[in-house]
Amino acid sequence: MPKRANDHLRHATKELGASTDEVESIFVGLSSGVEVDRLRYRVTLANESEEARSLGNGAEVTAVQDSPCGLSIKVGTMKPHNLLYPFPVDGSAAKLRVARKSSWVEVSVRLAPAQSAGAGGYSPNPFPVVLEDSHPNVWGLSRVDITRQPTIKIAGNKLQWVISQMGLTLSVGEDTLLLQPSSTRPLNALLDLKESLSVLFQAFVGLNETSNGKSVKVFRLVDNNDSDTIILVNAMCHDLNTGSIVLDAYVVPLVFSRLPAMLGSLQRLVDAGPLNIMITAGEAVMWKHAMPFLVERCRCTWSHRAKCEYRILQQIPLFTGHGESAICRCGEGLALDGFPSGPAYRGLGKYATRIAIPAISAVPFVEELASL
């Protein structure tokens, strides 16, 4: 950066201290002279304070990211200083400077890159489920009691409007991408998932071109010629909370360690002719993130156990790898009042967890919606 620009930034520094003894200062670094690239936050400790003496005696200084726009720095065992930034930052690459004689600590961070997992800032996961006091809670969409939503009659009804409904969930940008050949289209896992949701809704109401007008109730998500997820759809309902539609369904994760015990049931299900939905590797991971969200959204009649895997591992989803389950086992075999009956489904109920599958829509105040 040219010296004149650097001097200008230093003189523009704003001091934020609550007293004249302890001062907090922010320095802004620019890339290409116009874009904010790095933020430096300096805390000057009060003279002769216990914290300043601890710093001068060689106490360890640590920096931890505790929110998308915040870090905390701590001198030894002293009370941490909470640093709040105007932008999401990448705390994993924070750089510390310590002046023990002058009694100040400075932390330098870069802005978090947009839509980059594991690099600080806000999570790019569009299906967040957070643990609050060890209880999973859905963010971003209201809960729904699926048993109290009006069921949409499938048999004998002309439901061509479902195609239009799913088309209206797209943004203009997504609609433009879908017009491109899949071989040249940029990777977009969320858009791929929305395409699969459209297949689920249309096939269930008998609009899939391979079902000859019949309703399809069993689906396999197939990644690289292998499936680790079965979805069984019971009904399509009005979603009164969102003014849209929702599928009342069950998910059966095909975890590698449990497959030997499930083989008989799976063979009967395969013989019933499930519809395979071909998905990409990126979409497969997106489905793993979505599953806990779909479970928690309609969890009304059961509670998580004290030894729930979410609580033990402190992470949601549990796993995102192929052949691993993203959801805990607390809801397995429960709320089966809508589980499909018949020989093809015998033995699968104890592995099934109820889910509510929404028609995921773009947000109009973020991006322009597509039109018919």
Side-chain angles (χ1 to χ4, degrees):
M1 178 181 297
K3 187 177 186 299
R4 180 176 299 176
N6 191 50
D7 289 343
H8 173 73
L9 289 174
R10 289 184 179 277
H11 282 99
T13 298
K14 182 179 180 180
E15 297 188 346
L16 306 171
S19 71
T20 56
D21 293 328
E22 186 167 302
V23 178
E24 297 178 356
S25 304
I26 295 180
F27 299 83
V28 179
L30 303 180
S31 64
S32 304
V34 292
E35 295 182 357
V36 176
D37 176 63
R38 179 175 289 277
L39 296 172
R40 289 189 292 128
Y41 211 129
R42 179 180 295 183
V43 177
T44 303
L45 306 178
N47 292 330
E48 303 302 324
S49 66
E50 183 181 355
E51 192 173 21
R53 288 194 295 270
S54 179
L55 183 68
N57 291 332
E60 182 184 10
V61 179
T62 57
V64 177
Q65 182 159 11
D66 43 24
S67 71
C69 299
L71 275 75
S72 61
I73 57 174
K74 190 175 182 181
V75 177
T77 59
M78 298 291 105
K79 183 180 179 180
H81 294 261
N82 297 316
L83 313 182
L84 299 179
Y85 297 89
F87 309 106
V89 296
D90 181 6
S92 65
K95 296 181 180 180
L96 280 171
R97 292 178 62 202
V98 179
R100 299 188 183 276
K101 291 184 179 181
S102 301
S103 299
W104 57 259
V105 177
E106 183 179 279
V107 59
S108 176
V109 291
R110 290 190 179 277
L111 300 189
Q115 299 295 310
S116 179
Y122 291 98
S123 169
N125 176 16
F127 308 106
V129 179
V130 297
L131 283 171
E132 294 187 53
D133 297 326
S134 297
H135 297 286
N137 282 299
V138 172
W139 276 14
L141 198 61
S142 61
R143 286 183 176 273
V144 57
D145 185 345
I146 199 68
T147 64
R148 304 183 69 177
Q149 307 306 302
T151 301
I152 300 173
K153 184 179 178 182
I154 302 299
N157 278 354
K158 295 181 179 180
L159 298 174
Q160 296 291 334
W161 58 264
V162 173
I163 298 176
S164 300
Q165 174 73 19
M166 299 309 294
L168 290 173
T169 65
L170 301 173
S171 68
V172 170
E174 290 173 330
D175 194 35
T176 301
L177 284 176
L178 287 179
L179 295 176
Q180 300 180 18
S182 57
S183 58
T184 60
R185 194 169 72 199
L187 295 177
N188 189 319
L190 181 58
L191 179 57
D192 291 338
L193 184 140
K194 291 175 73 170
E195 275 197 282
S196 296
L197 290 179
S198 183
V199 172
L200 276 166
F201 277 89
Q202 292 184 45
F204 179 71
V205 300
L207 297 178
N208 185 269
E209 57 186 17
T210 62
S211 64
N212 296 319
K214 296 181 180 180
S215 173
V216 178
K217 297 183 177 181
V218 185
F219 301 85
R220 297 169 70 237
L221 302 182
V222 180
D223 171 25
N224 197 24
N225 296 320
D226 193 14
S227 173
D228 69 350
T229 304
I230 292 176
I231 296 175
L232 307 165
V233 181
N234 169 53
M236 185 171 71
C237 307
H238 292 285
D239 189 337
L240 299 181
N241 290 339
T242 64
S244 185
I245 52 178
V246 60
L247 292 178
D248 176 18
Y250 293 83
V251 61
V252 178
L254 303 182
V255 181
F256 287 154
S257 60
R258 300 167 71 178
L259 284 180
M262 302 172 68
L263 284 179
S265 299
L266 291 176
Q267 186 58 56
R268 288 191 294 271
L269 195 67
V270 171
D271 292 341
L275 178 65
N276 292 336
I277 299 180
M278 313 306 293
I279 61 177
T280 63
E283 184 188 350
V285 174
M286 187 66 72
W287 273 104
K288 297 287 187 181
H289 282 282
M291 282 303 171
F293 184 91
L294 304 183
V295 171
E296 291 302 316
R297 206 190 156 219
C298 65
R299 178 176 60 84
C300 297
T301 60
W302 56 272
S303 300
H304 288 275
R305 303 187 305 262
K307 294 185 178 180
C308 171
E309 293 93 331
Y310 293 154
R311 293 171 176 169
I312 294 173
L313 297 181
Q314 287 291 296
Q315 64 184 32
I316 304 176
L318 291 178
F319 305 103
T320 58
H322 187 74
E324 298 177 313
S325 179
I327 61 176
C328 69
R329 298 174 63 176
C330 299
E332 286 187 347
L334 303 178
L336 293 179
D337 50 290
F339 192 78
S341 59
Y345 312 104
R346 191 170 63 248
L348 284 178
K350 60 183 177 181
Y351 303 109
T353 302
R354 198 170 204 162
I355 57 177
I357 304 177
I360 298 171
S361 177
V363 183
F365 55 79
V366 173
E367 50 190 340
E368 183 181 355
L369 297 183
S371 58
L372 295 178

